[in-house]
Amino acid sequence: MPVDFELTKEQEDIKATVREFAERYIAPKAVEFDEKQEIHPEIIREMARLGLFGVVFPDKYGGLGLDPVTAGLILEEIVRADLTFSLAVAYLVQTSWGYIAYKYGSEEFRDEVITKAARGDLWIGIATTEPGAGSDLVGITTTARKVGSEYVVSGEKAYISGVREARERGKWFEYGGGHVTLTYTDKSKQHRGMTFFFIPLTDPNISIRLEKEFGRKGWSFGSFVLNDVKVPEKYRIGDEGRGFYIAMEGFDHARAYIALACAVGGKRAIELAVEYAKQRKAFDSPIASFQGIQFQLADNWARLEAAHSLAYKALWALKMEQEGKIGRFEVTKIAAAAKLFAVQAAKAAIDDALRWFGAYGYTEENLVALALKAVKSYDWAEGSLDIMRLIVAREVLGRDFVSGRRR
Ligand SMILES: Cc1cc2nc3c(=O)[nH]c(=O)nc-3n(C[C@H](O)[C@H](O)[C@H](O)COP(=O)(O)OP(=O)(O)OC[C@H]3O[C@@H](n4cnc5c(N)ncnc54)[C@H](O)[C@@H]3O)c2cc1C
């Protein structure tokens, strides 16, 4: 199997441009994202100007037409500059679920919505989770009824990222945004009766409520209630009954990017802690000279390096799938394994790295402390670690061994 980690000239140039931007504009403000509980709108606008909200959309709709591996290289630079992971969420959700909305959306939808998203004038989020159903998507209760050329949608979505940014026009995104929202169009068919819609959160008939987040506070997280909200047919994403399958595909994209964000975030936390450990002295020696710290460093670095490679394998698998070279389930397995491994590697590394800072690690101005809170979100967001384990086991063992299945 040929393996090549070399970047193309185009990839090198993109990475260098984004790194320069991220170091100059993002890094100096990152601590403030959590402190102010929002991302400075001018940073979002500058990212939009660089095309960073449209990286995977085709040129025809105003995007950069990049593949998932190159989109990952951009994510690396964003995470390195913002260890609160707030901008990572803004970027990776648009890059994964925006792509899914483009792929399955109608031509009218693409012309109207994807072109705005590609310019960074509109943000696309994902809403599958409800107060009563997260891991078990079949348990959702939101429904969509067809009435003439519209659908009437009712239900509640909970713990959804970006509800505030999508609700407000003009502050972060000119047109606000909306969420690719999972509903039932025929509950009797269970997962075969689910359908996705793009639902703009700017609709005044939708009410939103914000949660107080534990970490990653720059990007909002909350619920929205749909009370007989009318959604035009052109906003349906994919055919009726295909929602569950499209959701599974979208999760693969998001999980691969999350795996990369965690691997890179973990490495960056270690780098910051290493700088500190080289100059901080205890017992007349830099703490970096103590083997207790060196062994932690080595174990974590080895795990993060492995997580980094596996994340790129997942992004490469998405690219191969787009080129028709590998199948869906292979991608699902690698993406789930990548998220499972990277989240745990990052949590362990960031926790150890934070300890090297001593008491200074227990302050909210320490980026590594903010990273520890943020990375915890990936125990659940885009599928819990237990669900990742179930997926990997199912793909390795075969579907006859799915736990709890009636035989
Ligand atoms: C910061 C953050 C952002 C989020 N953003 C979004 C978003 O933008 N859009 C969206 O739709 N959702 C979002 N979510 C929700 C996320 O997708 C869910 O939290 C996740 O799917 C788990 O669902 P749940 O919270 O309902 O937990 P539950 O499904 O109730 O699970 C609770 C626990 O039981 C375990 N469990 C469940 N089933 C099994 C099983 N079969 N075997 C073993 N263990 C099991 C789970 O692993 C978990 O530990 C976000 C969550 C967080 C924390």
Side-chain angles (χ1 to χ4, degrees), residues 153-178:
V153 184
S154 291
E156 180 175 354
K157 294 292 172 185
Y159 308 113
I160 306 301
S161 301
V163 287
R164 176 190 57 183
E165 290 77 4
R167 174 69 161 197
E168 250 182 82
R169 280 176 201 268
K171 183 163 178 180
W172 292 278
F173 299 92
E174 191 176 341
Y175 298 95

mmCIF file of all heavy atoms in Angstrom, residues 153-178:
data_model
loop_
_atom_site.group_PDB
_atom_site.id
_atom_site.type_symbol
_atom_site.label_atom_id
_atom_site.label_comp_id
_atom_site.label_asym_id
_atom_site.label_seq_id
_atom_site.Cartn_x
_atom_site.Cartn_y
_atom_site.Cartn_z
ATOM 1 N N VAL A 153 -43.675 21.729 9.927
ATOM 2 C CA VAL A 153 -42.783 21.000 10.835
ATOM 3 C C VAL A 153 -43.060 21.399 12.284
ATOM 4 O O VAL A 153 -43.169 22.589 12.612
ATOM 5 C CB VAL A 153 -41.304 21.289 10.486
ATOM 6 C CG1 VAL A 153 -40.366 20.455 11.354
ATOM 7 C CG2 VAL A 153 -41.029 21.013 9.010
ATOM 8 N N SER A 154 -43.171 20.379 13.154
ATOM 9 C CA SER A 154 -43.379 20.631 14.585
ATOM 10 C C SER A 154 -42.471 19.722 15.404
ATOM 11 O O SER A 154 -42.309 18.540 15.067
ATOM 12 C CB SER A 154 -44.828 20.326 14.982
ATOM 13 O OG SER A 154 -45.677 21.271 14.418
ATOM 14 N N GLY A 155 -41.933 20.284 16.481
ATOM 15 C CA GLY A 155 -41.088 19.474 17.363
ATOM 16 C C GLY A 155 -40.074 20.353 18.071
ATOM 17 O O GLY A 155 -40.157 21.587 18.006
ATOM 18 N N GLU A 156 -39.140 19.705 18.752
ATOM 19 C CA GLU A 156 -38.112 20.465 19.465
ATOM 20 C C GLU A 156 -36.747 19.803 19.276
ATOM 21 O O GLU A 156 -36.626 18.577 19.387
ATOM 22 C CB GLU A 156 -38.444 20.506 20.963
ATOM 23 C CG GLU A 156 -37.405 21.287 21.749
ATOM 24 C CD GLU A 156 -37.744 21.464 23.225
ATOM 25 O OE1 GLU A 156 -38.861 21.077 23.639
ATOM 26 O OE2 GLU A 156 -36.874 21.977 23.956
ATOM 27 N N LYS A 157 -35.757 20.615 18.995
ATOM 28 C CA LYS A 157 -34.378 20.123 18.883
ATOM 29 C C LYS A 157 -33.579 20.693 20.064
ATOM 30 O O LYS A 157 -33.792 21.857 20.447
ATOM 31 C CB LYS A 157 -33.763 20.568 17.551
ATOM 32 C CG LYS A 157 -34.449 19.917 16.340
ATOM 33 C CD LYS A 157 -34.179 18.433 16.279
ATOM 34 C CE LYS A 157 -34.988 17.730 15.210
ATOM 35 N NZ LYS A 157 -34.798 16.257 15.246
ATOM 36 N N ALA A 158 -32.697 19.886 20.628
ATOM 37 C CA ALA A 158 -31.997 20.302 21.857
ATOM 38 C C ALA A 158 -30.487 20.074 21.735
ATOM 39 O O ALA A 158 -30.045 19.200 20.987
ATOM 40 C CB ALA A 158 -32.529 19.502 23.041
ATOM 41 N N TYR A 159 -29.729 20.867 22.490
ATOM 42 C CA TYR A 159 -28.255 20.780 22.530
ATOM 43 C C TYR A 159 -27.649 20.959 21.134
ATOM 44 O O TYR A 159 -26.784 20.198 20.713
ATOM 45 C CB TYR A 159 -27.814 19.446 23.158
ATOM 46 C CG TYR A 159 -28.472 19.205 24.485
ATOM 47 C CD1 TYR A 159 -29.393 18.181 24.658
ATOM 48 C CD2 TYR A 159 -28.200 20.039 25.557
ATOM 49 C CE1 TYR A 159 -30.042 17.994 25.880
ATOM 50 C CE2 TYR A 159 -28.843 19.858 26.778
ATOM 51 C CZ TYR A 159 -29.757 18.837 26.930
ATOM 52 O OH TYR A 159 -30.391 18.659 28.120
ATOM 53 N N ILE A 160 -28.146 21.966 20.449
ATOM 54 C CA ILE A 160 -27.737 22.194 19.059
ATOM 55 C C ILE A 160 -26.730 23.336 18.991
ATOM 56 O O ILE A 160 -26.966 24.425 19.536
ATOM 57 C CB ILE A 160 -28.989 22.560 18.207
ATOM 58 C CG1 ILE A 160 -30.088 21.490 18.360
ATOM 59 C CG2 ILE A 160 -28.607 22.793 16.755
ATOM 60 C CD1 ILE A 160 -29.700 20.095 17.952
ATOM 61 N N SER A 161 -25.615 23.099 18.301
ATOM 62 C CA SER A 161 -24.574 24.127 18.168
ATOM 63 C C SER A 161 -25.012 25.204 17.177
ATOM 64 O O SER A 161 -25.616 24.896 16.138
ATOM 65 C CB SER A 161 -23.277 23.496 17.670
ATOM 66 O OG SER A 161 -22.855 22.508 18.581
ATOM 67 N N GLY A 162 -24.668 26.440 17.511
ATOM 68 C CA GLY A 162 -24.845 27.554 16.565
ATOM 69 C C GLY A 162 -26.249 28.115 16.450
ATOM 70 O O GLY A 162 -26.529 28.818 15.475
ATOM 71 N N VAL A 163 -27.115 27.871 17.453
ATOM 72 C CA VAL A 163 -28.491 28.393 17.312
ATOM 73 C C VAL A 163 -28.507 29.930 17.342
ATOM 74 O O VAL A 163 -29.258 30.558 16.593
ATOM 75 C CB VAL A 163 -29.472 27.813 18.370
ATOM 76 C CG1 VAL A 163 -29.821 26.378 18.070
ATOM 77 C CG2 VAL A 163 -28.948 27.931 19.769
ATOM 78 N N ARG A 164 -27.671 30.528 18.193
ATOM 79 C CA ARG A 164 -27.661 32.002 18.283
ATOM 80 C C ARG A 164 -27.073 32.609 16.995
ATOM 81 O O ARG A 164 -27.633 33.562 16.447
ATOM 82 C CB ARG A 164 -26.808 32.419 19.485
ATOM 83 C CG ARG A 164 -26.633 33.916 19.638
ATOM 84 C CD ARG A 164 -25.580 34.236 20.689
ATOM 85 N NE ARG A 164 -24.302 33.618 20.386
ATOM 86 C CZ ARG A 164 -23.235 33.694 21.169
ATOM 87 N NH1 ARG A 164 -23.290 34.326 22.325
ATOM 88 N NH2 ARG A 164 -22.102 33.124 20.819
ATOM 89 N N GLU A 165 -25.992 32.040 16.504
ATOM 90 C CA GLU A 165 -25.341 32.593 15.315
ATOM 91 C C GLU A 165 -26.252 32.460 14.087
ATOM 92 O O GLU A 165 -26.220 33.290 13.180
ATOM 93 C CB GLU A 165 -23.996 31.887 15.072
ATOM 94 C CG GLU A 165 -22.914 32.201 16.100
ATOM 95 C CD GLU A 165 -23.081 31.470 17.438
ATOM 96 O OE1 GLU A 165 -24.013 30.648 17.563
ATOM 97 O OE2 GLU A 165 -22.284 31.724 18.358
ATOM 98 N N ALA A 166 -27.061 31.373 14.057
ATOM 99 C CA ALA A 166 -27.974 31.187 12.929
ATOM 100 C C ALA A 166 -29.215 32.079 13.062
ATOM 101 O O ALA A 166 -29.816 32.472 12.061
ATOM 102 C CB ALA A 166 -28.404 29.717 12.842
ATOM 103 N N ARG A 167 -29.564 32.401 14.298
ATOM 104 C CA ARG A 167 -30.771 33.183 14.529
ATOM 105 C C ARG A 167 -30.582 34.650 14.142
ATOM 106 O O ARG A 167 -31.473 35.299 13.605
ATOM 107 C CB ARG A 167 -31.113 33.096 16.030
ATOM 108 C CG ARG A 167 -32.261 33.964 16.471
ATOM 109 C CD ARG A 167 -33.542 33.449 15.891
ATOM 110 N NE ARG A 167 -34.703 33.925 16.594
ATOM 111 C CZ ARG A 167 -35.891 33.372 16.493
ATOM 112 N NH1 ARG A 167 -36.086 32.326 15.703
ATOM 113 N NH2 ARG A 167 -36.915 33.862 17.147
ATOM 114 N N GLU A 168 -29.383 35.174 14.458
ATOM 115 C CA GLU A 168 -29.150 36.614 14.303
ATOM 116 C C GLU A 168 -28.650 36.966 12.919
ATOM 117 O O GLU A 168 -27.599 36.493 12.502
ATOM 118 C CB GLU A 168 -28.106 37.070 15.334
ATOM 119 C CG GLU A 168 -28.747 37.940 16.397
ATOM 120 C CD GLU A 168 -27.763 38.458 17.402
ATOM 121 O OE1 GLU A 168 -27.103 39.459 17.094
ATOM 122 O OE2 GLU A 168 -27.674 37.861 18.484
ATOM 123 N N ARG A 169 -29.389 37.806 12.236
ATOM 124 C CA ARG A 169 -28.917 38.259 10.923
ATOM 125 C C ARG A 169 -27.918 39.375 11.107
ATOM 126 O O ARG A 169 -28.102 40.242 11.959
ATOM 127 C CB ARG A 169 -30.089 38.881 10.145
ATOM 128 C CG ARG A 169 -31.006 37.916 9.491
ATOM 129 C CD ARG A 169 -32.125 38.746 8.872
ATOM 130 N NE ARG A 169 -33.287 37.915 8.649
ATOM 131 C CZ ARG A 169 -33.542 37.272 7.532
ATOM 132 N NH1 ARG A 169 -32.707 37.353 6.535
ATOM 133 N NH2 ARG A 169 -34.629 36.546 7.425
ATOM 134 N N GLY A 170 -26.900 39.371 10.273
ATOM 135 C CA GLY A 170 -26.047 40.556 10.183
ATOM 136 C C GLY A 170 -24.899 40.641 11.172
ATOM 137 O O GLY A 170 -23.980 41.410 10.958
ATOM 138 N N LYS A 171 -24.942 39.895 12.279
ATOM 139 C CA LYS A 171 -23.847 40.042 13.249
ATOM 140 C C LYS A 171 -22.640 39.179 12.845
ATOM 141 O O LYS A 171 -21.552 39.693 12.624
ATOM 142 C CB LYS A 171 -24.316 39.681 14.650
ATOM 143 C CG LYS A 171 -23.226 39.892 15.684
ATOM 144 C CD LYS A 171 -23.737 39.936 17.100
ATOM 145 C CE LYS A 171 -22.576 40.099 18.074
ATOM 146 N NZ LYS A 171 -22.987 40.140 19.458
ATOM 147 N N TRP A 172 -22.847 37.870 12.765
ATOM 148 C CA TRP A 172 -21.759 36.991 12.334
ATOM 149 C C TRP A 172 -21.890 36.691 10.839
ATOM 150 O O TRP A 172 -20.911 36.694 10.112
ATOM 151 C CB TRP A 172 -21.767 35.687 13.132
ATOM 152 C CG TRP A 172 -21.408 35.883 14.559
ATOM 153 C CD1 TRP A 172 -20.147 35.985 15.084
ATOM 154 C CD2 TRP A 172 -22.318 36.034 15.669
ATOM 155 N NE1 TRP A 172 -20.218 36.176 16.442
ATOM 156 C CE2 TRP A 172 -21.519 36.205 16.831
ATOM 157 C CE3 TRP A 172 -23.704 36.030 15.806
ATOM 158 C CZ2 TRP A 172 -22.083 36.372 18.091
ATOM 159 C CZ3 TRP A 172 -24.261 36.192 17.056
ATOM 160 C CH2 TRP A 172 -23.454 36.370 18.188
ATOM 161 N N PHE A 173 -23.132 36.413 10.438
ATOM 162 C CA PHE A 173 -23.391 36.068 9.030
ATOM 163 C C PHE A 173 -24.533 36.957 8.528
ATOM 164 O O PHE A 173 -25.544 37.107 9.234
ATOM 165 C CB PHE A 173 -23.793 34.587 8.905
ATOM 166 C CG PHE A 173 -22.715 33.655 9.395
ATOM 167 C CD1 PHE A 173 -22.702 33.222 10.717
ATOM 168 C CD2 PHE A 173 -21.695 33.248 8.555
ATOM 169 C CE1 PHE A 173 -21.694 32.397 11.189
ATOM 170 C CE2 PHE A 173 -20.668 32.422 9.014
ATOM 171 C CZ PHE A 173 -20.666 31.992 10.333
ATOM 172 N N GLU A 174 -24.364 37.492 7.336
ATOM 173 C CA GLU A 174 -25.355 38.448 6.832
ATOM 174 C C GLU A 174 -26.780 37.901 6.893
ATOM 175 O O GLU A 174 -27.705 38.592 7.299
ATOM 176 C CB GLU A 174 -24.987 38.839 5.403
ATOM 177 C CG GLU A 174 -25.823 40.010 4.924
ATOM 178 C CD GLU A 174 -25.412 40.493 3.544
ATOM 179 O OE1 GLU A 174 -24.284 40.184 3.112
ATOM 180 O OE2 GLU A 174 -26.255 41.181 2.921
ATOM 181 N N TYR A 175 -26.946 36.635 6.498
ATOM 182 C CA TYR A 175 -28.299 36.058 6.476
ATOM 183 C C TYR A 175 -28.552 35.139 7.675
ATOM 184 O O TYR A 175 -29.493 34.346 7.652
ATOM 185 C CB TYR A 175 -28.514 35.258 5.181
ATOM 186 C CG TYR A 175 -28.410 36.115 3.943
ATOM 187 C CD1 TYR A 175 -27.206 36.206 3.245
ATOM 188 C CD2 TYR A 175 -29.491 36.845 3.485
ATOM 189 C CE1 TYR A 175 -27.090 37.005 2.113
ATOM 190 C CE2 TYR A 175 -29.398 37.651 2.352
ATOM 191 C CZ TYR A 175 -28.185 37.724 1.675
ATOM 192 O OH TYR A 175 -28.081 38.517 0.561
ATOM 193 N N GLY A 176 -27.737 35.211 8.701
ATOM 194 C CA GLY A 176 -27.897 34.268 9.820
ATOM 195 C C GLY A 176 -27.594 32.873 9.322
ATOM 196 O O GLY A 176 -26.572 32.655 8.667
ATOM 197 N N GLY A 177 -28.489 31.946 9.588
ATOM 198 C CA GLY A 177 -28.243 30.591 9.094
ATOM 199 C C GLY A 177 -29.406 29.683 9.412
ATOM 200 O O GLY A 177 -30.509 30.140 9.727
ATOM 201 N N GLY A 178 -29.147 28.399 9.319
ATOM 202 C CA GLY A 178 -30.198 27.429 9.586
ATOM 203 C C GLY A 178 -29.584 26.069 9.798
ATOM 204 O O GLY A 178 -28.369 25.902 9.674
#
